[in-house]
Amino acid sequence: MAAENAGRLAPPRTFFLNDPVIRGYFYQGLLIAIVLGLFFWLGANAIQNLTAQGKSLGFEFLKNTAGFDVSFSLIPYDRASSYLDVFYVGLLNTLLVSLISIFLATILGFFLGIARLSTNWLVAKVAAVYVEVTRNIPLLLQLFIWYFAVLKVMPAVKQSHSLGDVIFINQRGVFIPSPIFDDKFVWVLVALVLAIVAVAMLVVWARRRLAATGQRFPVFLTSVAILVILPGAVWLLSGTNVGLDIPKLGGFNFKGGIDLPPELLALIFGLTIYTATFIGEIVRSGIQAVSKGQTEAAAALGLKENDRLRLVIVPQAMRVIIPPLTSEYLSLTKNSSLGAAIAFPELVSIFEGTALNQAGRAIEIVGMTMAVYLTFSLLTSLIMNIYNSRVALVER
């Protein structure tokens, strides 16, 4: 009798895939196996084809001499440099354009987003027209406009536009003075770093003081004073001297100073202006996502319009702005590869383009280029996700 009851109470045996947990692990493992198998097959197929052609995979070619010039480089480079140097030049140029464009596009985008919500009819309409026109023109076409219709139609070198005989603008770019530092200037840099740390500590202290007592501290003016007085005092006490290497016309071009080629300027202008329109719409939607009751409550507390925007609206809007803003940063970084269309020596242009055509190592060069953009994207996402977690709502 007891045996019959035990048999009756025992749960029925079921197929293991009927368990949702086990089924989930099974399908994930199956998918991983398929992906790995696909990559293994592609790799084996590539090695087989290369072997049939008498070639092999490897990165020894990076030590070979490149044999071509680059129009713009942040590091020393000439025709005798190696393909690895070409990779570094393209990497640094891509990073330079991306960082500058992200910085400028963020500032312009926030300005546009706030301007679109302005109570001033003219400001709001001008911002709206700017956004609607610019974001509906392809980025590649905008790069062509900046490069061929704006910068390349500047006067010749000997007829350059001059700004105070210090800055010169012509069809070969913009020539600006370059600073010349002596050995003592390092102490000024140390003082500047200490001033920045002091300002950061001041901001944290002022916020805590405001939250605890409701009393404000003049953070902006105090920060400016610290950033000016501390490095300035060290400058005077150390006796450091800073000179300027002013560009001077010699022969057929300017010599000295810093040369900003039209390709660099056109790419930065195009990426900044195009991406800023999308950032502006993100900022506008983020501000509109904040409840109007928050604005009314801030006004009831006597906060001025600028304070309401800075202390109440924007901090809450950032929770909505950050995720799509991350996507715009990623898109801008990848769009920098369009510099190849206007002959700017970024990574795709000189490494995946010129170097690949000369070396013939398609798999290695394309793989390195993909790894660079993947690394840029992952680092950008990591940084933005860390910031997003700091501004996210925390449930109590």
Side-chain angles (χ1 to χ4, degrees), residues 202-223:
L202 175 66
V203 170
V204 174
W205 173 81
R207 288 180 178 176
R208 293 177 178 176
R209 180 174 182 263
L210 178 62
T213 65
Q215 297 178 354
R216 295 186 185 180
F217 186 82
V219 176
F220 178 76
L221 295 178
T222 307
S223 300

Side-chain angles (χ1 to χ4, degrees), residues 106-117:
T106 302
I107 295 176
L108 181 58
F110 269 80
F111 174 79
L112 289 172
I114 295 173
R116 289 210 61 183
L117 298 175

Side-chain angles (χ1 to χ4, degrees), residues 11-177:
R13 294 182 179 180
T14 59
F15 188 52
F16 73 96
L17 286 181
N18 290 334
D19 188 331
V21 177
I22 297 178
R23 184 169 64 246
Y25 285 122
F26 174 78
Y27 287 136
Q28 292 180 45
L30 180 62
L31 179 61
I32 293 174
I34 293 174
V35 172
L36 292 178
L38 177 62
F39 277 104
F40 178 78
W41 177 80
L42 291 174
N45 186 55
I47 293 175
Q48 181 180 358
N49 292 334
L50 290 173
T51 303
Q53 298 176 11
K55 300 179 180 179
S56 61
L57 289 174
F59 295 93
E60 297 82 6
F61 75 97
L62 292 174
K63 300 179 182 179
N64 299 337
T65 301
F68 60 88
D69 290 322
V70 173
S71 60
F72 179 80
S73 175
L74 296 175
I75 59 176
Y77 177 88
D78 55 32
R79 297 175 64 89
S81 300
S82 64
Y83 286 117
L84 184 60
D85 295 326
V86 175
F87 173 75
Y88 290 146
V89 170
L91 175 65
L92 292 176
N93 287 350
T94 298
L95 190 60
L96 173 69
V97 169
S98 299
L99 292 178
I100 293 177
S101 300
I102 285 175
F103 176 75
L104 296 177
T106 302
I107 295 176
L108 181 58
F110 269 80
F111 174 79
L112 289 172
I114 295 173
R116 289 210 61 183
L117 298 175
S118 175
T119 55
N120 187 302
W121 183 87
L122 181 60
V123 172
K125 293 303 180 183
V126 169
V129 171
Y130 170 83
V131 168
E132 294 300 330
V133 171
T134 305
R135 71 174 180 172
N136 287 299
I137 298 177
L139 175 57
L140 184 59
L141 180 57
Q142 294 189 38
L143 294 179
F144 286 156
I145 292 174
W146 280 107
Y147 185 62
F148 293 107
V150 177
L151 297 174
K152 295 301 286 185
V153 298
M154 291 291 176
V157 174
K158 292 186 178 181
Q159 288 78 36
S160 301
H161 296 305
S162 174
L163 300 178
D165 292 330
V166 175
I167 300 175
F168 302 91
I169 305 173
N170 55 57
Q171 60 186 208
R172 294 188 180 180
V174 178
F175 297 84
I176 62 176

Side-chain angles (χ1 to χ4, degrees), residues 316-358:
Q316 297 184 68
M318 291 302 293
R319 304 182 182 109
V320 180
I321 292 173
I322 292 300
L325 184 63
T326 304
S327 298
E328 292 303 321
Y329 288 167
L330 298 178
S331 297
L332 187 150
T333 304
K334 289 178 283 190
N335 285 338
S336 65
S337 61
L338 291 175
I342 56 176
F344 178 72
E346 44 77 44
L347 188 64
V348 173
S349 175
I350 61 172
F351 190 64
E352 194 175 359
T354 308
L356 190 153
N357 291 333
Q358 291 192 179

Side-chain angles (χ1 to χ4, degrees), residues 165-248:
D165 292 330
V166 175
I167 300 175
F168 302 91
I169 305 173
N170 55 57
Q171 60 186 208
R172 294 188 180 180
V174 178
F175 297 84
I176 62 176
S178 60
I180 303 175
F181 305 107
D182 59 12
D183 296 337
K184 299 178 182 179
F185 189 76
V186 65
W187 297 109
V188 179
L189 295 178
V190 172
L192 180 61
V193 172
L194 293 176
I196 293 174
V197 173
V199 168
M201 296 175 63
L202 175 66
V203 170
V204 174
W205 173 81
R207 288 180 178 176
R208 293 177 178 176
R209 180 174 182 263
L210 178 62
T213 65
Q215 297 178 354
R216 295 186 185 180
F217 186 82
V219 176
F220 178 76
L221 295 178
T222 307
S223 300
V224 172
I226 294 175
L227 292 173
V228 172
I229 294 175
L230 183 57
V234 174
W235 187 323
L236 295 176
L237 294 175
S238 64
T240 182
N241 292 316
V242 178
L244 289 178
D245 183 14
I246 300 176
K248 295 181 179 180

